[in-house]
């Protein structure tokens, strides 16, 4: 979501987000036996995750000035609701793919879905604002002795 908020929903960034999630999934998939069903699940999860980030971006509305990102209560509420709603996409599609490809039983779907949804939501809630702040810090103008003293605690 941070990529879309920083640079917009240009089509050039969509494949980058998809390729990143796909590469990460394939890397973790290589830990076990890599068969056609596992590759199909990784592909479904990668597509769902990149669509989820784009939907969250669209629900946030177009941000023209990211220095004012989460500046008001209404923006914070809109951000939280966009994250909570958009995280339904990857957890639902990924969970259904796990059931469809027989990686889990249908009885385990609820717990898997909840775990996936909470993980995605917390990740977006914590890391999106942090990434946006990091991209807008004027690193040259920081008082480095203060930063090092703060970091040492």
């Amino acid at each position: 979501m941070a990529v879309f908020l920083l640079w917009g929903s240009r089509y050039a960034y969509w494949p980058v987000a998809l390729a990143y999630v796909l590469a990460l999934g394939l890397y973790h998939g290589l830990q076990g036996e890599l068969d056609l069903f596992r590759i199909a699940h990784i592909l479904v999860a990668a597509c769902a995750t990149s669509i989820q980030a784009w939907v969250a971006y669209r629900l946030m509305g177009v941000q023209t000035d990211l220095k004012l990102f989460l500046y008001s209560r209404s923006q914070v509420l809109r951000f939280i609701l966009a994250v909570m709603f958009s995280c339904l996409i990857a957890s639902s599609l990924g969970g259904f793919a796990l059931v469809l490809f027989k990686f889990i039983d249908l009885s385990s779907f609820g717990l898997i879905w909840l775990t996936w949804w909470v993980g995605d939501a917390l990740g977006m809630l914590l890391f999106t604002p942090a990434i946006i702040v990091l991209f807008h810090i004027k690193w040259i103008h920081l008082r480095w002795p203060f930063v090092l003293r703060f970091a040492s605690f």
Side-chain angles (χ1 to χ4, degrees), residues 23-78:
L24 192 63
L26 286 173
Y27 172 75
H28 288 295
L30 291 176
Q31 305 301 325
E33 187 176 319
L34 196 62
D35 58 357
L36 187 60
F37 289 126
R38 190 174 304 270
I39 292 172
H41 176 259
I42 291 169
L43 187 61
V44 168
C47 290
T49 302
S50 58
I51 290 169
Q52 167 181 298
W54 180 81
V55 166
Y57 164 74
R58 296 303 297 175
L59 288 173
M60 277 294 297
V62 177
Q63 298 288 330
T64 56
D65 188 9
L66 282 178
K67 292 177 185 172
L68 301 177
F69 177 66
L70 302 180
Y71 187 71
S72 67
R73 288 183 191 151
S74 63
Q75 287 178 331
V76 171
L77 181 62
R78 180 179 231 168

Side-chain angles (χ1 to χ4, degrees), residues 8 11-12 14 16 28-29 32-33 38 50 54 69 76 79 82 97 101 104 107 109 119 127 129 142 149 151 153:
Y11 295 106
W14 188 273
V16 172
H28 288 295
E33 187 176 319
R38 190 174 304 270
S50 58
W54 180 81
F69 177 66
V76 171
F79 173 67
F101 298 128
I104 62 169
S107 61
F109 175 77
F127 290 106
L142 285 177
R149 193 172 345 126
F153 287 106

Side-chain angles (χ1 to χ4, degrees), residues 16-150:
V16 172
L18 179 63
Y20 169 74
V21 177
L22 189 59
L24 192 63
L26 286 173
Y27 172 75
H28 288 295
L30 291 176
Q31 305 301 325
E33 187 176 319
L34 196 62
D35 58 357
L36 187 60
F37 289 126
R38 190 174 304 270
I39 292 172
H41 176 259
I42 291 169
L43 187 61
V44 168
C47 290
T49 302
S50 58
I51 290 169
Q52 167 181 298
W54 180 81
V55 166
Y57 164 74
R58 296 303 297 175
L59 288 173
M60 277 294 297
V62 177
Q63 298 288 330
T64 56
D65 188 9
L66 282 178
K67 292 177 185 172
L68 301 177
F69 177 66
L70 302 180
Y71 187 71
S72 67
R73 288 183 191 151
S74 63
Q75 287 178 331
V76 171
L77 181 62
R78 180 179 231 168
F79 173 67
I80 291 171
L81 291 175
V83 167
M84 296 301 166
F85 177 75
S86 67
C87 286
L88 296 172
I89 296 169
S91 59
S92 298
L93 291 177
F96 284 131
L98 285 172
V99 171
L100 180 68
F101 298 128
K102 300 189 185 336
F103 289 116
I104 62 169
D105 293 331
L106 189 57
S107 61
S108 308
F109 175 77
L111 184 59
I112 297 290
W113 178 89
L114 182 64
T115 305
W116 198 321
W117 181 80
V118 168
D120 279 359
L122 285 176
M124 288 176 79
L125 287 172
L126 295 174
F127 290 106
T128 299
I131 290 169
I132 295 205
V133 166
L134 286 174
F135 268 84
H136 284 90
I137 289 178
K138 305 268 191 251
W139 292 101
I140 297 171
H141 301 296
L142 285 177
R143 290 177 278 179
W144 286 103
F146 173 75
V147 171
L148 291 175
R149 193 172 345 126
F150 180 76

